[in-house]
Amino acid sequence: MAQLLAVGDELRQAADHGRVCALAAQGQRDLQRCLAAHPAVFADGPFDATLTSSIALAIAFSAPWCDAAELRLTNRAVLWGFALDWQVDRLATSAAELDRLVQGQLAAADGAPAATNDPLAQFLADFRADLAAVPAFATLGGAWLAAVDRTLEAMRREWHWKTGVRDRLQPPPTLVEYLGNADNLACTVVNVAHFVRTGGADTPAGLDRLVVASDAVQRALRLVNDLSTYERDLRWGDLNAIMLVDDRSVVEQELTRLVGQAIDLIGELRADCPREATYLTRQLGYTTGFYRSTDFWGVS
């Protein structure tokens, strides 16, 4: 009897994993359609099927209670974050070019028509139109726009840091300054879009606290990412937390502290926003496990 019960548990667990992976497969198919519909944005090299699969799996395992329709915009928000990061870090060659990119994104996020020569802004304008069709956008749309603004400014700030350090015009930021700029990870901006699309009746009242907890998760994941991608960042000439301290262990200790802080803040939300709290917890855990073995970017 005990053996039959154990087999039954294994079957149920495997079936649940299969269901979540099927949810991710549906998300990946939608993201692949995005790549095909916006070839000027999604270059063949970095934006491949492995990236879209990794995005869809991360979101499906973070919110496995949702269906594919509910996760469609969350997946697309992550894809926009990757495209923005690529254009800022790899394609922008001057401060003026970067400013035009940021201004185009801000305008699209605010509802302005995108310029025909700005395909990334066109992608964001389409995303914004879909998000604005969600009833909760009427009250929560301002929070999403603020998160977009923070993300864009953080990416612009890091570009200037990186360029200034490379050209020996300024010292690198401190670890405290670097973590204060963690919006460049584009995690909270995705989470706010997710809360707008999938949140319950209690979400508007709790959104400010959810953003605070999401920011704590974002800071922790900034270090999770850096600990995994240090060698690649050296090759690419990107900033990395390990470059800002004398010993890698400083970053590891700070990550432990930030994870504890995030868990505490999430715990304070469980009574009022249980589903969102679980989403943030699973996001933190899944992404930490993912980066132990691989990276989202498939280019060296």
Side-chain angles (χ1 to χ4, degrees):
M1 178 63 71
Q3 185 176 8
L4 287 175
L5 290 173
V7 170
D9 288 342
E10 290 173 352
L11 285 171
R12 282 189 292 273
Q13 185 179 53
D16 190 55
H17 290 334
R19 180 189 61 80
V20 178
C21 288
L23 181 61
Q26 292 173 283
Q28 183 186 8
R29 290 189 181 107
D30 178 71
L31 292 177
Q32 288 295 132
R33 289 191 288 269
C34 288
L35 301 193
H38 299 273
V41 177
F42 302 112
D44 290 339
F47 297 97
D48 59 8
T50 302
L51 176 64
T52 57
S53 173
S54 297
I55 291 170
L57 282 165
I59 297 305
F61 274 96
S62 294
W65 50 83
C66 292
D67 61 28
E70 290 176 303
L71 295 185
R72 174 175 167 270
L73 289 180
T74 311
N75 285 326
R76 291 187 174 199
V78 178
L79 186 62
W80 170 77
F82 274 104
L84 176 65
D85 181 62
W86 184 259
Q87 292 205 13
V88 171
D89 276 356
R90 308 263 64 85
L91 302 183
T93 59
S94 70
E97 184 179 349
L98 177 62
D99 289 344
R100 285 192 297 272
L101 171 61
V102 169
Q103 289 161 9
Q105 296 302 295
L106 281 173
D110 202 27
T116 56
N117 63 345
D118 191 344
L120 183 59
Q122 291 173 1
F123 179 81
L124 182 59
D126 291 344
F127 175 88
R128 194 262 186 198
D130 288 342
L131 189 65
V134 176
F137 189 84
T139 53
L140 303 182
W144 174 75
L145 181 59
V148 171
D149 186 27
R150 287 170 55 193
T151 299
L152 289 164
E153 289 305 315
M155 288 194 179
R156 174 156 53 186
R157 186 175 297 113
E158 176 149 334
W159 186 92
H160 282 287
W161 280 345
K162 180 177 67 175
T163 303
V165 171
R166 181 198 65 197
D167 297 340
R168 299 185 179 182
L169 298 175
Q170 66 181 69
T174 66
L175 181 59
V176 171
E177 291 170 332
Y178 181 76
L179 288 172
N181 200 51
D183 277 299
N184 75 318
L185 193 64
C187 176
T188 290
V189 68
V190 169
N191 292 343
V192 173
H194 178 76
F195 298 147
V196 172
R197 175 62 182 85
T198 68
D202 294 332
T203 301
L207 188 63
D208 288 346
R209 294 164 63 210
L210 283 169
V211 170
V212 171
S214 175
D215 284 348
V217 171
Q218 182 171 246
R219 286 189 294 272
L221 293 182
R222 175 72 276 174
L223 296 188
V224 167
N225 177 289
D226 284 6
L227 287 165
S228 174
T229 62
Y230 174 65
E231 297 296 333
R232 189 201 67 198
D233 288 339
L234 284 177
R235 293 193 302 273
W236 284 12
D238 285 343
L239 289 180
N240 183 295
I242 298 172
M243 303 172 189
L244 311 179
V245 296
D246 294 330
D247 192 290
R248 180 189 179 99
S249 65
V250 174
V251 176
E252 294 169 341
Q253 292 166 8
E254 181 65 8
L255 173 58
T256 299
R257 186 187 73 82
L258 290 176
V259 168
Q261 182 183 71
I263 290 172
D264 288 345
L265 287 168
I266 293 169
E268 294 171 5
L269 288 165
R270 290 198 183 277
D272 299 324
C273 305
R275 191 166 68 168
E276 289 82 0
T278 300
Y279 165 83
L280 290 172
T281 302
R282 291 179 66 91
Q283 180 184 68
L284 178 60
Y286 180 93
T287 309
T288 299
F290 181 89
Y291 272 116
R292 285 175 183 161
S293 300
T294 189
D295 181 16
F296 284 92
W297 288 124
V299 290
S300 59

